[in-house]
Amino acid sequence: MSARVFALVACVLLLPVLALAQGNPTGAISGKVLDTGGLAVPGATVTARSPAMQGSRTVTSSESGDYIVPFLPPGIYSVTFELAGFQTQQRDGVGVVISETVTVNVALGPSSVSETVDVQASTANEIGPALTVATTFKASQIELLPVGRTLNAAVLLAPGVQDNGPGGNIMISGAMSYENQFLINGVVVNENLRGQARNLFIEDAIQETKVSTGNLSAEYGRFQGGVVNMVTKSGGNRFSGSFRTSFANDSWGSLTPFEGDAAVDKTVPTYEITFGGPVLRERLWFFTAGRFEKNEENLTASYTAYNYTRKDDEKRYEGKLTYALTTKHTAKAAYTKRRLDAINNSFGTIMDARSLYDNANDEDLLSLNYTGVLTDKWFVEGQYSARDYAIIGTGGRLTDIPNGTPIWDRSRGQARFNAATFCAVCGSGVEDRNNWNVLLKTSYFLSTPRFGSHTLVLGGDLYRETRENDNFQSGSSFRVQSTGAVINGQDIYPIFRGDNTTFIEYLPLVAPTQGNDIRTTSFFANDTWRLNTRLTFNVGLRFDQNNSKDQAGAQVVEDSAWSPRLGATWSIDGAGKWVANAGYARYVTGMSTAIVDAGSAGGRTATFSYFYQGPNVNADPTRPLLTAEQALPIIFGWFEANGGINRATRNAPNIPGVTTTVGSGLVAPSSTEWTAGLVRQLGSRATVRLDWVHREFTDFYGDFRDTSTGKVTDPTGRVYDLTVVGNTDVANRSYKGLVAQASYRASSVTVGGNYTLSWLRGNFEGEDTGSGPVRFSGLDQPEYRGEAWSYPTGNFNDQRHKLRAWVQYSVPVPATLGRLELGFLQRFDTSDASSIDGTIDPRPYVTNPGYQATPSTVPYFFGDRGALRYDDVFRSDLSVYWGKKITALGGSEVFFRGIVTNLFNHSAQTGGNETVLTRTNDSSYQLFNPFTQTPVRGVHYDLGPIFGQPTGVGDYQGPRDFSFSVGVRF
């Protein structure tokens, strides 16, 4: 079968199952061939060669002199231009990065004699002039800087990116942290619930990482933030590999100022090995990698300063094959496996050893990819991938009331103690979070004499993710929210008051899971129209159709959306030294599994919350204190004697499948973006880029419950108010960011950096640490809420300034001593915004319009949203790299890499306790009417006794730390 026939058969086979539009990330070289008089040169042979590519790739310039060389793996290329009667011209050092097209224009002079003109092009730069606002980091660059070699470390080095999401999750361009897309070799590696990237990579196998934060083409969808694309190595025509051992020791670093912080004095090695090369030169390459780590580190629990050792045993494996059927047709197959066994894991803010548990993660990733150049103008690509991710044994293993009931301390931000969150022995104890994709897209290069060249892309995209779990919240199916707790060293004594400030919560599983099924079918068209050497347009349109079933098997979402993407690039001087960009785009995020399952009985737990009104426990400081194991039987004894779970609840229960339903018109949230940018190329060594990004977010997920949503009855005949999950624009969120990037390269010095000035405002954060995506509550029984005080607009997660500046210096040393590289990175981050907010009881001041149950607590902001900020963070990091090639080892290089983070041990407080006391958690304060009264501090509310104070080591900037690695490359 010929390669052409194989490609056509592949297209037909893949057409019914269209999927992931991005595909295996490659780049392209494109441009125009002219003569010295500026006339087009048709028929010129253009050949691209690189060690990164099997064989060479040759195309012919069109009648208008246009050409394109597609599907080029990232690397450094030599491009040769040949035509009889003209001088042969070769451009060396052409840098190709993933998902970008490099422009190489040439002017061929007449050939009076046989000669070749060599021109050294500028090598790849992390800052490009393209329309997309993006930054690319090569692994070789990261290696010489004091930066972690992980995916997240590279992402956080880029501008427009913050780790201000719940639990330090990554946010891009103002979107929620679960609304980004992370790709490894073009395959989605997002975790299903919170949207963060899984560690399905091996650091020494990484080739480069691209972070795109604005102006993305229509080929990308299911996101509102940014797209991160990492590509790994693929072997080559010579055998090569590496072995590295990285050493870390908890005690090598300094401690935070938090009293009780400690370290484990144990050196932990991490082993990485890579090996790749040819099976058949220029035809079949292989690449393999492995990573093995047994880590131990000290962690300090919040408030109690209880120190414990977390142990992780992690193994990762990767294998990849790259096969060139011909120089124009390539197939790739890759497989990655990861297993993590954890001892003393936890969820949420914990205070004691009883909240710890052991669990495991088991995941693997498979991808198959084909790219084909059918003609000099017509190209096709297909891809299939599948990721399986199982979470095993998460939560507590005791199910009785004293030992299986978590207690949340309301006076300390709901810090947890007494029992682990979740249940490892209820149900199967396994949670599956999987996805798969299939792809087909085709590109056509159209060159016209009057209207320039067009790179037309058409494709389709079917993405499917599934989640299957019985989400038991505790071993006993109960949880208690205590008024507070007495902490004596590391002993915790819960305070249970009978004045409606302690809550007993019943959390039964409604029904077993059937697994959900979330699908997005997409089609897209994109035209990169190069009108002339000065002006290029990008015109794209994407269509996304969502079809989702929840974990009870019910169809809950059927919606569709159009997303236009428009942009223009203008070479102001015609030579690419000054380039202006402008763009408009609409982005539609994917459906969240948390929202799809909002009304699902399958696998979900109900929440019934009751006031505790029995005898006080541990409220009298003159009496002996009772432990949780002693105190819980007291309050549950009262609870069972006074109706138990049949008592009146303190607010409306949430019973998935009964009280909550997903509305028929639910759509995926979206955002509108406007961008403008300017790029200045200073010679061949320096680049400066400035971009403005403005986004407005719409169609937020929200709860609707009012007198019009109706009532429902459970199987026992009890009546409840119905909550409908839908979309609302009463919630609002907007982002404005000014991003500056600069780089300079000389023979021995590389200087680079970026700065982000941003504003994030709104009245809805949209996610939290415990649940991931959450729903807007402003329209849930709205009579009991006021916009000005319950959901005001202001700053949140708003980091105004972010700076990263680095220098890498090649120290001049004799060649006999090898090479010595120094790297320095300066970081500056202003604090993100927090608020002074608590809860109040509005019921005495609202006439019940007919609800079965009314809210006993609603949020109240005591001042402007975002008025609270902590310390700004300065950090200086230093790296030393030494390498020397050893003749006796066949020219292999031995190396040392050492990093000191926070070199000067600068300390800053980055968080703290934010408990606000009101009548709902302390009966000594008076009620007030939120609709007519302004609360008085000390009368109606007050800041908690440790408000603003650090509660654990996580509330401080990371102290000075040191680690190093040694190894060999061949």
Side-chain angles (χ1 to χ4, degrees), residues 205-226:
I206 297 172
Q207 185 168 346
E208 64 181 54
T209 303
K210 181 178 181 180
V211 185
S212 302
T213 59
N215 247 335
L216 284 91
S217 96
E219 296 180 57
Y220 294 92
R222 302 189 311 278
F223 76 96
Q224 284 199 97

Side-chain angles (χ1 to χ4, degrees), residues 129 234-235 307 317 429 453 514 533 566 578 614 622 665 801 843 903:
S234 299
N307 287 289
Y317 309 90
S453 65
Q514 298 181 34
T533 57
L566 305 172
W578 282 97
T622 65
H801 304 280
R843 293 176 301 172
L903 178 65

Side-chain angles (χ1 to χ4, degrees), residues 61-85:
S61 61
S62 70
E63 289 296 320
S64 302
D66 299 307
Y67 75 93
I68 187 170
V69 188
F71 298 139
L72 298 178
I76 304 300
Y77 285 76
S78 293
V79 186
T80 304
F81 302 85
E82 299 175 286
L83 184 64

Side-chain angles (χ1 to χ4, degrees), residues 15 38 78 245 269 276 323 373 388 454 509 526 537 563 569 617 689 711 715 799 867 958 961:
L15 187 59
S78 293
T245 305
Y323 178 53
V373 179
D388 294 329
H454 299 259
L509 188 76
N526 201 84
F537 298 98
S563 304
T569 298
V617 179
R689 176 165 184 155
K711 300 185 185 300
Q799 183 181 329
D961 196 15

Side-chain angles (χ1 to χ4, degrees), residues 143-289:
E143 179 80 348
L144 302 180
L145 290 175
V147 179
R149 297 179 297 119
T150 65
L151 173 65
N152 283 358
V155 172
L156 289 170
L157 193 60
V161 181
Q162 289 87 22
D163 56 355
N164 294 338
N169 289 347
I170 289 176
M171 300 172 60
I172 300 179
S173 295
M176 299 174 199
S177 66
Y178 66 88
E179 294 179 323
N180 304 311
Q181 192 169 97
F182 294 92
L183 309 167
I184 296 180
N185 295 323
V187 177
V188 176
V189 295
N190 292 58
E191 178 272 323
N192 296 35
L193 182 58
R194 295 173 181 84
Q196 299 304 289
R198 302 301 303 160
N199 290 328
L200 289 165
F201 59 86
I202 294 158
E203 288 87 333
D204 268 343
I206 297 172
Q207 185 168 346
E208 64 181 54
T209 303
K210 181 178 181 180
V211 185
S212 302
T213 59
N215 247 335
L216 284 91
S217 96
E219 296 180 57
Y220 294 92
R222 302 189 311 278
F223 76 96
Q224 284 199 97
V227 173
V228 176
N229 220 327
M230 171 191 284
V231 63
T232 61
K233 298 173 183 177
S234 299
N237 277 325
R238 66 179 185 87
F239 293 104
S240 61
S242 64
F243 178 77
R244 179 197 299 258
T245 305
S246 300
F247 298 93
N249 187 311
D250 221 14
S251 66
W252 290 348
S254 301
L255 299 176
T256 67
F258 184 72
E259 185 177 354
D261 191 7
V264 174
D265 186 9
K266 182 172 182 178
T267 301
V268 176
T270 301
Y271 305 102
E272 295 175 62
I273 184 169
T274 68
F275 182 61
V279 177
L280 298 171
R281 286 181 57 84
E282 304 290 3
R283 295 297 299 274
L284 179 60
W285 293 351
F286 75 94
F287 182 79
T288 59

